[in-house]
Amino acid sequence: MNEKHKKKTSKFLSYVLRHHPELINLSLDEYGWADVNELITKSTNDSQGFTFEELDEIVQTNDKKRFIFNEDKTKIRANQGHSIDINLALIPQQPPEFLYHGTAQANVDSILEKGIEKRSRQHVHLSSDRETAMKVGMRHGKPVILTIKTGKMAEHGILFYLSDNNIWLTDFVDTKYILE
């Protein structure tokens, strides 16, 4: 699979599995799982088109591990980042003392005023390392990395979850937990 087709297909999968399954009339269960054969068939009907082997390659090689198969590879879902209501069946985890949030410089004033909101997503995403947060921030403009006092948040009863691709998730980050 050439890199251009792989990137286009990966973006399509993110869009359909995280935000708009109705685009191709795809059924997701309550946990966000889609039947692989249905996804391939309906994607082909929508002229996107990819084979199981190409889908498997994308799941295995995606640097952000955005997608996961079930054990027998008959179902697929996005690991996190959904704007549709699904149950990822995540178990609360104890976060490290600090995590990082990458954003664009243009968003910093609003964040420092209102906190980090999940907006249309199910969770706020936090990274365990500054490098990953930097990559996230670069996607949106001049990057800024905010350090989040997640240990304090957990002490105050705020829940954290760790997705299958090692992204930390929470509902909201109040300004009092943000270090500049």
Side-chain angles (χ1 to χ4, degrees):
M1 173 180 253
N2 71 49
E3 288 304 311
K4 184 178 177 183
H5 183 59
K6 187 190 288 189
K7 185 174 182 177
K8 181 180 176 189
T9 303
S10 181
K11 286 184 175 197
F12 172 79
L13 291 170
S14 285
Y15 187 75
V16 168
L17 295 174
R18 293 165 61 182
H19 309 295
H20 294 286
E22 74 279 1
L23 176 71
I24 58 170
N25 199 29
L26 182 67
S27 300
L28 302 182
D29 71 14
E30 68 178 302
Y31 300 102
W33 291 103
D35 179 270
V36 168
N37 290 330
E38 180 185 1
L39 173 64
I40 292 169
T41 300
K42 290 185 174 180
S43 297
T44 301
N45 292 344
D46 194 54
S47 76
Q48 178 62 36
F50 48 86
T51 65
F52 174 81
E53 290 74 19
E54 291 170 330
L55 181 62
D56 190 37
E57 181 181 340
I58 288 168
V59 171
Q60 300 306 321
T61 62
N62 185 275
D63 62 339
K64 294 180 182 158
K65 303 292 181 204
R66 290 189 193 274
F67 316 105
I68 189 170
F69 284 119
N70 67 345
E71 231 175 78
D72 64 2
K73 295 187 176 183
T74 58
K75 295 184 182 231
I76 186 172
R77 78 172 182 186
N79 275 316
Q80 94 288 321
H82 299 83
S83 61
I84 55 176
D85 188 25
I86 65 156
N87 178 357
L88 290 172
L90 299 169
I91 299 168
Q93 305 281 324
Q94 177 65 39
E97 186 176 355
F98 298 102
L99 289 171
Y100 306 95
H101 182 75
T103 191
Q105 178 67 50
N107 300 330
V108 172
D109 288 343
S110 176
I111 287 173
L112 294 177
E113 181 184 325
K114 300 177 186 173
I116 304 173
E117 302 170 311
K118 59 185 174 181
R119 300 198 176 200
S120 65
R121 302 272 177 106
Q122 284 191 305
H123 298 98
V124 170
H125 296 187
L126 301 172
S127 304
S128 56
D129 61 90
R130 296 176 63 80
E131 182 182 330
T132 301
M134 177 67 79
K135 288 178 185 176
V136 171
M138 289 174 67
R139 291 193 333 236
H140 305 288
K142 183 179 177 190
V144 173
I145 301 169
L146 301 171
T147 302
I148 311 302
K149 298 185 278 185
T150 47
K152 282 284 183 214
M153 289 175 68
E155 282 178 27
H156 295 152
I158 297 167
L159 296 178
F160 287 85
Y161 308 94
L162 186 59
S163 70
D164 288 335
N165 61 340
N166 293 317
I167 301 298
W168 285 91
L169 308 170
T170 193
D171 286 332
F172 173 73
V173 178
D174 190 283
T175 58
K176 66 185 174 188
Y177 300 112
I178 301 172
L179 295 174
E180 290 183 67

